[in-house]
Amino acid sequence: MLTVDFSRFPLAPGDRVLDLGCGAGRHAFECYRRGAQVVALDQNGEEIREVAKWFAAMKEAGEAPAGATATAMEGDALALPFPDESFDVVIISEVMEHIPDDKGVLAEMVRVLRPGGRIAVTVPRYGPEKVCWALSDAYHEVEGGHIRIYRADELLAKMREAGLRPYGSHHAHALHSPYWWLKCAFGVDNDKALPVRAYHKLLVWDIMKKPLATRVAEQALNPLIGKSFVAYATKPHLPRAEAEADAT
């Protein structure tokens, strides 16, 4: 299940991609399939080991084209172990809501992104997230949990402040909002509640089969209750005068 829409966020074979806070690796895997040179980074060592296993399995199965590369590594989003301008593309999906110093993370992403490069940021959307917080303290008051809820204009303003130039946005995963409302209502850790189990089966069926009816329904509902807000931006090239000044 991808949150980034690659029709709005073009990726070329050979692009150097950083999937920052990659988690289970869903976006990193897609970039690898598209021929990119991917680095999947996360602070969770257990997840990184699983991502590395999947990268190896994909290579063995021939799922990635010739020239594509994939590396999984542990790392700190606030101190990325890469030189300036190392990547053509940076993706950070459902991560910034967990990090106290979100401006620091944005600064690091901008540092390692080359001028003209592209960045995709996804966070939980304000409205559906507020419902989750209202229904359950356990949803967000946990170690490593969500510490803030972004309004779209707030996130875009922080991206601009970091030196990025947003060029597009959308909402995604409308069908997942009711699932999380049910989870919060019946207990975040209570997967046995009948409404939660029934809705989960629906989501799995939708992800596996991609039936037209649910695809159309989600597209119609995304502007209303999409679970995620997705923003795309570029890192501008320095104006010539500023670039010459930096070089002296």
Side-chain angles (χ1 to χ4, degrees):
M1 183 187 72
L2 299 175
T3 307
V4 172
D5 180 352
F6 286 94
S7 69
R8 309 180 196 218
F9 189 67
L11 192 69
D15 275 350
R16 300 163 297 168
V17 177
L18 172 63
D19 185 2
L20 181 55
C22 65
R26 58 201 172 104
H27 288 105
F29 300 148
E30 180 64 20
C31 293
Y32 188 33
R33 290 187 187 98
R34 290 171 179 260
Q37 298 174 15
V38 183
V39 175
L41 183 144
D42 201 285
Q43 67 177 4
N44 186 317
E46 184 176 340
E47 286 197 312
I48 283 297
R49 287 187 287 275
E50 282 299 309
V51 170
K53 290 178 184 178
W54 278 105
F55 278 151
M58 290 172 68
K59 182 177 180 180
E60 181 70 20
E63 290 188 33
T69 62
T71 303
M73 61 185 295
E74 290 185 58
D76 182 354
L78 290 165
L80 295 174
F82 311 112
D84 296 355
E85 303 178 9
S86 298
F87 295 95
D88 303 298
V89 172
V90 177
I91 296 171
I92 184 166
S93 183
E94 311 299 302
V95 173
M96 286 181 56
E97 68 275 9
H98 297 273
I99 301 176
D101 186 8
D102 58 346
K103 290 184 178 181
V105 173
L106 278 169
E108 272 293 87
M109 289 190 290
V110 171
R111 179 184 68 80
V112 302
L113 185 65
R114 68 163 176 82
R118 304 173 304 286
I119 187 168
V121 180
T122 92
V123 297
R125 184 185 187 175
Y126 184 84
E129 186 76 346
K130 284 286 285 186
V131 174
C132 289
W133 282 45
L135 289 171
S136 171
D137 290 337
Y139 173 78
H140 63 96
E141 291 183 357
V142 295
E143 184 177 355
H146 298 186
I147 62 170
R148 70 173 64 81
I149 307 176
Y150 288 99
R151 292 187 182 274
D153 56 356
E154 175 194 1
L155 177 61
L156 293 171
K158 288 187 175 185
M159 292 171 70
R160 292 188 185 97
E161 184 181 342
L164 296 167
R165 185 177 295 160
Y167 68 82
S169 64
H170 63 91
H171 300 99
H173 308 320
L175 295 183
H176 288 250
S177 290
Y179 173 70
W180 281 102
W181 297 339
L182 288 169
K183 288 269 289 181
C184 290
F186 286 92
V188 173
D189 297 320
N190 180 14
D191 293 328
K192 295 182 179 180
L194 180 58
V196 174
R197 287 192 289 116
Y199 202 98
H200 183 263
K201 287 182 179 180
L202 170 66
L203 291 180
V204 171
W205 174 74
D206 174 57
I207 291 169
M208 299 301 295
K209 301 295 184 180
K210 297 181 175 61
L212 179 61
T214 55
R215 295 299 83 221
V216 170
E218 183 155 82
Q219 288 299 316
L221 290 170
N222 274 337
L224 302 173
I225 59 168
K227 183 73 170 66
S228 295
F229 173 69
V230 189
Y232 306 106
T234 59
K235 178 179 177 178
H237 292 277
L238 286 174
R240 180 175 296 179
E242 186 177 343
E244 290 173 352
D246 286 349
T248 59

